[in-house]
Amino acid sequence: MKTLVWVEHDGGVLKDATLAVVTAASQLGEVDAVVAGKGVDAVAAAAARIGGIVKVYVADDDSYDHQLPENVAPLIVALMADHDAFLAPATSAGKNIAPRVAALLDVMQISDILSVEAEDIFTRPTYAGNAIATVRSKDAKKVITVRGTAFEKAPDEGGNGTIAAVAGAAASPGLSRFVGAEIVKSARPELTSAKVIVSGGRALKDAATFEKVIFPLADKLGAAVGASRAAVDAGYVPNDYQVGQTGKIVAPEVYLAIGISGAIQHLAGMKDSKTIIAINKDEDAPIFQVADIGLVGDLFTIVPELEAAL
Ligand code: FAD
């Protein structure tokens, strides 16, 4: 089987999410990759160094600047003439592109896979991760999104893939245009690749209190900051901090859940973390059912004490 992996990047740097996708693809067969963008030589070179990559197709063109999915999908469809499976990370970018590719190929997408059982059999979460479905696809061409936390990352060095320039499949179909991007700049690690995450919930009261209590602890630990949906909806932090079923899926070494009850939709995004530490004043809070270490008490006392002790 020949697979094609979507290389996620920000125009200059290859995103880590790609590495887990390469591992998933390598369980299906030979792995090629596609880099689309404008001025993406460095990304293509980084992709060629990933262990296991055979060939990197590079489409460097104005129409792929900002990787508008409407423009990128026809390019991938053209490359799929020589490939049996297309795999993308189940990130916002991957989830924007893969369904369009599936629709253009007239196949069903296999979403958010957790494992490859056979060339045509995969597992994937359903009911917010409460059940794992084993699915078989009879489509000749597979379009797959991969849950990054379920696969080891392929090595980002040591590979020796060849790089091949490809012409754009088509000029911009004119369905969308790039207007602007507001990127949150933070010195903290990115949520989905952080080793330690400090997350706060509704109990943090407001944006100023969240910042005062959670940020210093996160900074001492070199951690990323996450939040429950209740905290995001109440405006304590921007919504790209949200962890859970409708937020980001994370699996860090250590996840601190502070003033978070542990609703099923929150657990769906963090229960695969290696060590879960919960601080909650309610000893019956469901978060304690998944926590490895639980502290029952008032977060406004415990967190400053913890931070001072570090
Ligand atoms: P609460 O449930 O209100 O919990 C607050 C906790 O803080 C309580 O356990 C309380 O005991 C504790 N507490 C209060 N004061 C203190 C104190 N001083 N010290 C210590 N502890 C204290 N939620 C997500 O998080 N992510 C999602 O992606 C998500 N997706 C959803 C999708 C759908 C379709 C739906 C219906 C819901 C979704 N939710 C999601 C919402 C989810 O159901 C919960 O409402 C939400 O997670 C609750 O957030 P919370 O734990 O911060 O707030």
Side-chain angles (χ1 to χ4, degrees), residues 220-283:
K220 276 238 167 119
L221 293 168
V225 173
S228 71
R229 177 157 154 185
V232 166
D233 285 352
Y236 302 177
V237 283
N239 66 2
D240 61 345
Y241 283 49
Q242 186 180 319
V243 172
Q245 184 189 340
T246 43
K248 293 193 169 130
I249 309 284
V250 299
E253 300 288 329
V254 180
Y255 186 90
L256 277 106
I258 301 177
I260 293 178
S261 59
I264 195 104
Q265 296 89 355
H266 189 78
L267 301 186
M270 46 63 77
K271 67 176 164 25
D272 291 333
S273 305
K274 307 272 181 307
T275 300
I276 297 171
I277 304 171
I279 301 172
N280 199 302
K281 68 177 184 188
D282 174 8
E283 64 180 28

Side-chain angles (χ1 to χ4, degrees), residues 51 53 57 60 90-91 109 124 131 146 183 198 206 218 241 247 271:
I53 298 262
Y57 296 94
D60 199 320
T91 55
Q109 177 174 299
R124 55 176 306 269
V146 176
I183 312 281
V198 179
D206 54 39
Y241 283 49
K271 67 176 164 25

Side-chain angles (χ1 to χ4, degrees), residues 54-66:
V54 175
K55 191 171 186 178
V56 180
Y57 296 94
V58 187
D60 199 320
D61 191 85
D62 284 341
S63 62
Y64 302 127
D65 203 6
H66 308 295

Side-chain angles (χ1 to χ4, degrees), residues 55-124:
K55 191 171 186 178
V56 180
Y57 296 94
V58 187
D60 199 320
D61 191 85
D62 284 341
S63 62
Y64 302 127
D65 203 6
H66 308 295
Q67 303 162 71
L68 295 176
E70 292 82 357
N71 294 359
V72 168
L75 164 76
I76 292 163
V77 169
L79 291 171
M80 282 301 286
D82 291 328
H83 296 86
D84 308 297
F86 171 70
L87 294 96
T91 55
S92 302
K95 289 192 279 192
N96 214 351
I97 289 167
R100 289 180 163 84
V101 174
L104 291 170
L105 290 172
D106 197 19
V107 299
M108 280 193 288
Q109 177 174 299
I110 308 151
S111 301
D112 212 11
I113 64 161
L114 301 173
S115 70
V116 175
E117 302 296 315
E119 270 191 1
D120 58 347
I121 303 177
F122 309 89
T123 63
R124 55 176 306 269

Side-chain angles (χ1 to χ4, degrees), residues 142-200:
K142 315 260 187 282
V143 174
I144 298 166
T145 60
V146 176
R147 180 171 290 199
T149 54
F151 292 86
E152 292 294 322
K153 289 178 183 158
D156 59 2
E157 289 293 338
N160 191 21
T162 55
I163 296 181
V166 284
S172 162
L175 293 170
S176 61
R177 75 191 163 85
F178 179 78
V179 177
E182 282 176 38
I183 312 281
V184 181
K185 287 211 166 59
S186 168
R188 297 193 187 97
E190 206 200 349
L191 201 48
T192 50
S193 54
K195 290 198 165 50
V196 181
I197 295 176
V198 179
S199 266

